[in-house]
Amino acid sequence: MRAVTHVALCMLCGLLGYQIRQVSTMRKGGCRIPRSWLWFGNWSTQEPPSKLPRRTDAKSFLRPVASAEVSHQLPKLFHCDPLEHVIAINLEDDRGLGRRGHMIEEFKRVGIKNYNFFPAVDFKNDAQLKREEALLGGDMCKNPARCHNTLGCAMSHRRVYEKILAERWPCAMIFEDDAGLADNFSARVAEMASGGMPPFDIVLMGWCWSAKSKITPPDDMKSTPELRIGWPGMCIHAYIMSIHGALMFAQANTPIRITPDAVMDGSHHHLNRTRTHISRAGGQYTGSYWYTEPRLSWQDANADLLGGGV
Ligand SMILES: *[C@@H]1O[C@H](CO)[C@@H](O)[C@H](O)[C@H]1NC(C)=O
Ligand SMILES: *[C@@H]1O[C@H](CO)[C@@H](O)[C@H](O)[C@H]1NC(C)=O
Ligand SMILES: *[C@@H]1O[C@H](CO)[C@@H](O)[C@H](O)[C@H]1NC(C)=O
């Protein structure tokens, strides 16, 4: 009986913690890292909006696949060209226009010609999201503000992973539509990958360790980035996902329950869902996390103010 009470109490605490984290993510838009998951930082600092182009000549959107139809078979050989499948998650209707224009300009500026947009989940209308949120139980999603952009954002990312699995792409480069890209991004990534990519689950290109670092371009905009193994911090607005990582991340967040970057966090969240792949216990990283040094992306504070956040 005591054990049962104990378990119940622990679960209650867990739920409360989760709810507090959910509440702290309520912001205007964009895939947000809950404030409480950062070590320090000032989230109220925002630059005024600048005049950004609002172009409509977007490349075509890719079609998502139904979760149930996704194959879980992995290819035997792994060869990843990070620039082969470049994807920007963006609301497909007019609400996404501002940030779509932002990404078109960014891609053009840094020499990425071959890319597609991918429809962001509209948390208000997405039936699958609602069904999965209902499975969370408790009151967690009764107030949609607690769930909305956090889990909607997670579902957007998961659908890209499902697309990778369905298409059997070895890897894809994924951006949220408020990403800022470092100078000469395309050539530097090509140079970085020219010797072949290591077997990785995920390579973070825009990691952050504070609110400021999240929106600050790197000092070094010239070097060929090095691939380093480990977990540099939160943020998942710019990364390369392998098909292996896509399988792991999709499974770890089906049904949906945590933000896309929390899936990587093997020391706080939902250990029983991610630990078989990922552990950061004792400073050891057993998941195949990698990151680029220097960073190649940041979250553009001006793009954040263009609306259409997902
Ligand atoms: C955060 O930034 C705002 C605006 O720059 C400032 O008014 C506020 O004092 C800062 N808060 C902290 C805790 O630094
Ligand atoms: C862009 O990056 C490539 C590969 O690192 C390098 O050869 C080239 O000089 C860079 N161009 C500029 C303008 O920095
Ligand atoms: C994983 O942990 C959650 C609580 O964090 C619990 O509700 C769930 O039943 C656990 N799942 C398994 C397979 O142990």
Side-chain angles (χ1 to χ4, degrees):
M1 197 56 211
R2 278 182 69 134
V4 170
T5 318
H6 185 74
V7 168
L9 266 176
C10 285
M11 284 180 72
L12 191 66
C13 296
L15 274 174
L16 268 175
Y18 185 85
Q19 294 210 2
I20 288 162
R21 285 193 295 274
Q22 296 297 318
V23 172
S24 67
T25 63
M26 283 188 282
R27 283 171 62 91
K28 241 182 292 183
C31 283
R32 292 296 176 186
I33 299 171
R35 189 193 302 239
S36 56
W37 296 354
L38 286 168
W39 295 271
F40 55 90
N42 183 348
W43 289 78
S44 60
T45 311
Q46 274 197 334
E47 300 295 319
S50 70
K51 285 240 161 26
L52 278 160
R54 284 175 184 270
R55 291 172 46 179
T56 51
D57 54 341
K59 306 250 171 145
S60 64
F61 274 74
L62 294 173
R63 301 273 48 99
V65 289
S67 304
E69 287 162 24
V70 171
S71 155
H72 287 173
Q73 278 190 324
L74 298 173
K76 290 204 171 61
L77 289 174
F78 179 68
H79 174 78
C80 160
D81 170 0
L83 294 162
E84 194 180 358
H85 303 287
V86 178
I87 283 177
I89 300 172
N90 173 253
L91 274 176
E92 200 171 355
D93 60 22
D94 282 358
R95 291 171 296 165
L97 270 179
R99 291 177 180 215
R100 198 138 74 232
H102 165 75
M103 287 315 289
I104 291 170
E105 290 301 313
E106 285 297 283
F107 285 143
K108 195 166 131 195
R109 189 173 60 75
V110 304
I112 294 180
K113 296 188 184 79
N114 189 19
Y115 61 89
N116 282 101
F117 287 98
F118 191 88
V121 166
D122 181 348
F123 70 88
K124 288 195 188 108
N125 301 316
D126 195 273
Q128 185 185 21
L129 178 65
K130 287 193 173 143
R131 276 197 307 277
E132 295 192 18
E133 282 178 354
L135 299 174
L136 284 170
D139 288 343
M140 211 175 288
C141 282
K142 280 205 180 123
N143 173 358
R146 288 196 179 139
C147 284
H148 68 342
N149 58 28
T150 307
L151 294 185
C153 164
M155 185 66 97
S156 297
H157 285 256
R158 198 182 89 196
R159 291 220 176 116
V160 177
Y161 311 154
E162 289 167 348
K163 182 74 175 174
I164 292 172
L165 289 165
E167 303 287 344
R168 297 169 69 83
W169 293 337
C171 64
M173 200 148 83
I174 304 166
F175 297 97
E176 291 178 355
D177 58 5
D178 58 352
L181 303 181
D183 294 349
N184 204 9
F185 184 103
S186 176
R188 289 164 70 205
V189 167
E191 176 79 17
M192 173 186 89
S194 60
M197 296 288 282
F200 67 93
D201 292 324
I202 187 168
V203 178
L204 294 175
M205 297 184 293
W207 35 281
C208 69
W209 61 95
S210 68
K212 186 153 182 280
S213 67
K214 187 175 144 104
I215 56 167
T216 308
D219 293 333
D220 178 354
M221 293 264 213
K222 279 212 158 75
S223 324
T224 301
E226 269 180 38
L227 281 167
R228 298 199 181 160
I229 195 162
W231 184 80
M234 305 297 279
C235 286
I236 194 155
H237 54 274
Y239 59 107
I240 309 166
M241 184 63 107
S242 74
I243 190 167
H244 306 96
L247 179 61
M248 177 180 87
F249 276 59
Q251 285 183 344
N253 217 4
T254 305
I256 206 82
R257 67 187 301 145
I258 43 182
T259 61
D261 47 353
V263 174
M264 279 184 286
D265 185 337
S267 66
H268 295 101
H269 304 292
H270 304 280
L271 300 180
N272 63 359
R273 297 177 72 86
T274 56
R275 194 170 236 171
T276 47
H277 307 284
I278 297 168
S279 171
R280 292 199 286 121
Q284 299 292 310
Y285 302 92
T286 57
S288 198
Y289 298 171
W290 297 70
Y291 61 97
T292 60
E293 178 60 61
R295 288 180 299 134
L296 292 163
S297 177
W298 59 95
Q299 272 173 290
D300 188 315
N302 291 328
D304 273 350
L305 300 179
L306 293 173
V310 293

